[in-house]
Amino acid sequence: MTTGTTPVVLDVDTGVDDACALLLAALHPALDLRAVSCVGGNAPVDDVVRNTLKVLETAGRSDVPVARGAERPLLEPALHAHHVHGQDGMGDLGWPDSSLQPDGRHAVELLRDVCRQAATEGRPVTLVPLAPLTNIALLLRTYPEVAAGISEIVFMGGAANVGNATASAEFNVFHDPEAAAVTLDAAADLGIRVTMYGLDVFYEPVVSREMAAELVAVGGRGPAELGGRLMDFQRDRIDGSATIGDAGAVCALIDREALRTQVLPIRVELAGTWSRGRTIVDRRDWSGAIAHDPHGEAPVRVDVALGVDGPRYARLWSDTLLGRAGPR
């Protein structure tokens, strides 16, 4: 487990599992949630903002600024995932809207300002994108000086193996592959460490019916009940199973020992008819093959998550929502 408090910023497209991640980041005492930026993805960006404010108010974190960002990918129309997350993007629970208001800045401006302040304070933030990387690509290319205020990027996206939006591509990268490619290239240019928490580990932290029932039983329309109801919605919607999904990337900030990673070269496929949006993770271990590859080795290398102790992360998440993670 980490010691001390890690300053974090989340970029979200809330989203059932983004909501689970927000609850964890807002409540765990090891994390100092500085800001949340919103982007269109699982739901249209205005729904994302509304859902994000709803979650943070439920968690008692009205102090966290939330800003509206890009409503569509850099090049293509938006492609939302109502079939996964419900018509409102957050499980159609009928949870009351928040009285909170978003920050007046564009999300990229909020990210810029938070990172600049972090650099000034000498406490760089960990940037955790859990959504299409549109905001992050715009941030890093428009304001490269923010790299001084970013200790690491831990993003949920991509896969070394199979996709989910298509057979090749994971949804967040598939939604805006150009943004993913720009983000990874910019991070490499700027010397920012990157960890990819992708589909190879995404589904492993599973929440049982019993665990969800324990959360719902807390009641009071608080964070535990919200988390449990989101798990129940997910179980009913998708194959009878419920995972904390994006929240696993936040767990990785708290408990690195439960995650197995390997530094590997990576490219984002931008042109393939069937493979557009695929993260091509080069796992070859014979240097002769790479030496004779006409493309050469990818210039971008990231920490790729390849294994996780799923039950450990699921318990970390549920314990936090139940108030068992210690005082803030």
Side-chain angles (χ1 to χ4, degrees):
M1 294 288 183
T2 58
T3 57
T5 303
T6 301
V8 299
V9 175
L10 267 57
D11 184 76
V12 299
D13 59 342
T14 317
V16 170
D17 53 339
D18 301 75
C20 295
L22 283 163
L23 289 170
L24 178 60
L27 295 171
H28 198 282
L31 303 179
D32 174 13
L33 181 60
R34 297 290 186 85
V36 180
S37 53
C38 297
V39 65
N42 287 327
V45 69
D46 289 331
D47 289 344
V48 171
V49 172
R50 181 168 56 252
N51 292 341
T52 300
L53 293 170
K54 188 180 301 187
V55 173
L56 289 175
E57 185 168 65
T58 299
R61 293 301 307 275
S62 60
D63 58 305
V64 178
V66 174
R68 182 187 191 276
E71 61 187 47
R72 52 161 291 170
L74 295 176
L75 294 183
E76 296 184 336
L79 178 66
H80 305 306
H82 294 299
H83 64 290
V84 175
H85 298 273
Q87 287 307 303
D88 69 352
M90 208 177 79
D92 298 322
L93 301 180
W95 212 260
D97 284 344
S98 170
S99 60
L100 304 177
Q101 294 298 313
D103 192 281
R105 290 167 286 185
H106 188 278
V108 175
E109 296 172 331
L110 173 62
L111 291 169
R112 175 201 63 195
D113 294 348
V114 170
C115 292
R116 284 177 174 172
Q117 182 65 30
T120 300
E121 294 173 353
R123 291 193 70 211
V125 300
T126 299
L127 184 55
V128 189
L130 305 173
L133 288 158
T134 318
N135 285 340
I136 312 305
L138 293 169
L139 171 72
L140 296 182
R141 285 306 192 204
T142 308
Y143 304 107
E145 73 277 6
V146 300
I150 300 173
S151 63
E152 181 184 7
I153 295 174
V154 178
F155 79 98
M156 190 282 120
N161 193 12
V162 299
N164 59 359
T166 71
S168 288
E170 177 275 331
F171 175 82
N172 284 342
V173 177
F174 179 74
H175 190 269
D176 195 345
E178 280 76 20
V182 168
T183 296
L184 293 175
D185 188 62
D189 284 350
L190 297 169
I192 303 171
R193 177 185 173 189
V194 176
T195 295
M196 183 178 97
Y197 186 96
L199 294 182
D200 309 284
V201 292
F202 179 88
Y203 296 106
E204 295 303 312
V206 173
V207 174
S208 67
R209 290 184 184 276
E210 294 75 18
M211 188 180 292
E214 183 180 8
L215 291 166
V216 171
V218 174
R221 287 195 176 270
E225 183 183 357
L226 177 57
R229 293 197 181 281
L230 289 170
M231 290 298 102
D232 286 341
F233 168 84
Q234 188 182 147
R235 184 178 294 104
D236 292 341
R237 179 65 64 101
I238 308 172
D239 299 329
S241 180
T243 174
I244 64 172
D246 287 355
V250 179
C251 289
L253 309 185
I254 303 164
D255 185 3
R256 291 284 179 141
E257 292 182 357
L259 191 67
R260 178 173 61 85
T261 65
Q262 184 177 353
V263 179
L264 293 166
I266 184 172
R267 287 187 171 97
V268 178
E269 176 59 64
L270 300 178
T273 300
W274 311 116
S275 58
R276 177 169 162 78
R278 180 177 179 83
T279 46
I280 301 172
V281 177
D282 194 343
R283 301 178 70 179
R284 292 174 293 180
D285 58 5
W286 179 49
S287 60
I290 296 174
H292 291 87
D293 184 336
H295 303 293
E297 184 175 313
V300 174
R301 299 172 69 88
V302 307
D303 277 310
V304 179
L306 297 173
V308 67
D309 186 336
R312 186 158 144 179
Y313 274 8
R315 178 54 64 185
L316 169 60
W317 178 77
S318 64
D319 280 351
T320 302
L321 270 57
L322 289 166
R324 297 172 181 165
R328 169 163 288 284

